Amino acid sequence: VIEKLFMNTIKKITKIPDPTIARLPIYSRCLIELMDAGQKMVSSEEIAALTGIKASQFRKDLSYFGGFGVQGYGYHIKQLFEKISGIMNLHQKNNVVLIGAGNLGSALANYPGFAKWNFSICEIYDKDPKKIGKKIGGIKIKDIKNFPKKCKYPIALIAVPGEKAKEIAENLTKCGIKAILNFSGKKLLKKNTEIIRNVDLTHELAILSYYLATHKGNG
Amino acid sequence: VIEKLFMNTIKKITKIPDPTIARLPIYSRCLIELMDAGQKMVSSEEIAALTGIKASQFRKDLSYFGGFGVQGYGYHIKQLFEKISGIMNLHQKNNVVLIGAGNLGSALANYPGFAKWNFSICEIYDKDPKKIGKKIGGIKIKDIKNFPKKCKYPIALIAVPGEKAKEIAENLTKCGIKAILNFSGKKLLKKNTEIIRNVDLTHELAILSYYLATHKGNG
């Protein structure tokens, strides 16, 4: 009930900036590492040193959700981790479906990070008869034709070739999928589904290339 | 020479915000799609509709590199694309090495997006004797023990298990690698290598989970 009240309060806040939301998992990851190391309290300066995000930015980000710090003592690591997990809805198990059982789909099905954050790939679909019936990450690949008309899981990962992504996303939305993490490399827009995030591995490489070029100081 | 002058000018600008750099590939991707559709000019409002990034933000981002727009006519798509490519050092072919030939490494070796942006995975290394000598994405997997003492390519992709990432990164740096795109899921810090970007696929899923939770309005 408290959790629900808490989320409703967050909803009332007009608009939390997207970059703040994007930094929350970075803080979570850092807090996990500190917990693993047995540490109990942490200062914003320490968070800054570990994440590369300024201490002032960290404090400002947390202020959107109410201040969690104790003056002069910093932040209680476990409490802060649990609050951020609650904000991101990671305190409960989240089942997700995976569409596409190629190289990238197999990598996602075997990605160890998901389980640590309470995500579980529970169903995998592909259209390739050679793949259907085989297992990846311990899950049997099903025929996409048999995708349920009313899918009980709200999140799908798309790891199909780019040219297929739009059609797949539209069909998933019709079947009740509310949020898509799109790995196809072809950008999907909000009109294709309610909540979408596009992961383009090339973008990261391009950003790296920029820093390398400016670091070296030549073009 | 002009290109070099241009990059030197960029270098002189004290500090371009990281979020601006992170948006450049999104603009590039959008411009590619417009070029493919045969369009010649584009307005900042059109860019906003296609990318989801505000027109004012787009104009501000470009202003860091000098304004490219023509008042009343918008932006010449091909020229703008070439300028952004130049800024990110994507106007020349960038050879990169890949460490790790597991599921994720195989996905990266076969990722079609890289070639479109002038990236080419030219060498692949692993330590698993069962993988060494086999090919992924047309490239033969070499023994990591034979990694060159002075690697002629500056960029490496790391797709090894998290617990191995730090050691690998340190060794790569000793061999001349200047920039690392880390897919291991274990965060690497700047002290491990000069230029580093950590890609954590779980982070994107966590962000999606947040938007789904707030959209639905329950925890």
Side-chain angles (χ1 to χ4, degrees), chain B residues 133-189:
Chain B
K134 288 192 181 151
K135 277 185 179 185
I136 51 173
I139 311 285
K140 197 178 269 186
I141 301 162
K142 296 182 186 175
D143 191 337
I144 187 74
K145 279 183 197 153
N146 299 327
F147 194 86
K149 291 269 176 292
K150 283 193 178 181
C151 183
K152 59 183 168 173
Y153 310 115
I155 299 177
L157 311 182
I158 293 188
V160 300
E163 64 275 15
K164 305 279 179 205
K166 189 166 169 281
E167 189 193 334
I168 297 252
E170 283 168 355
N171 287 337
L172 291 175
T173 304
K174 280 178 201 157
C175 297
I177 291 289
K178 298 271 182 279
I180 291 176
L181 190 56
N182 170 30
F183 287 93
S184 75
K186 176 87 179 169
K187 192 179 163 100
L188 293 174
L189 297 170

Side-chain angles (χ1 to χ4, degrees), chain A residues 28-88:
Chain A
S28 278
R29 164 67 43 123
C30 176
L31 295 169
I32 289 172
E33 288 177 10
L34 291 169
M35 279 190 287
D36 286 350
Q39 198 169 322
K40 293 271 183 288
M41 302 290 289
V42 68
S43 67
S44 51
E45 286 74 19
E46 228 175 321
I47 295 275
L50 290 167
T51 61
I53 299 164
K54 279 183 193 161
S56 56
Q57 182 71 67
F58 170 70
R59 290 191 298 264
K60 194 180 173 198
D61 285 341
L62 291 193
S63 73
Y64 287 107
F65 310 101
F68 299 126
V70 182
Q71 195 113 39
Y73 288 92
Y75 299 83
H76 189 282
I77 293 170
K78 190 159 179 285
Q79 275 177 18
L80 181 57
F81 173 74
E82 281 171 5
K83 287 207 175 168
I84 294 179
S85 296
I87 290 164
M88 307 202 87

Side-chain angles (χ1 to χ4, degrees), chain A residues 18 29 88 185 197 209 211, chain B residues 18 29 88 185 204 209 211:
Chain A
D18 291 339
R29 164 67 43 123
M88 307 202 87
R197 277 188 80 82
S209 169
Y211 286 110
Chain B
D18 291 339
R29 164 68 43 123
M88 306 203 86
E204 289 297 325
S209 169
Y211 286 111

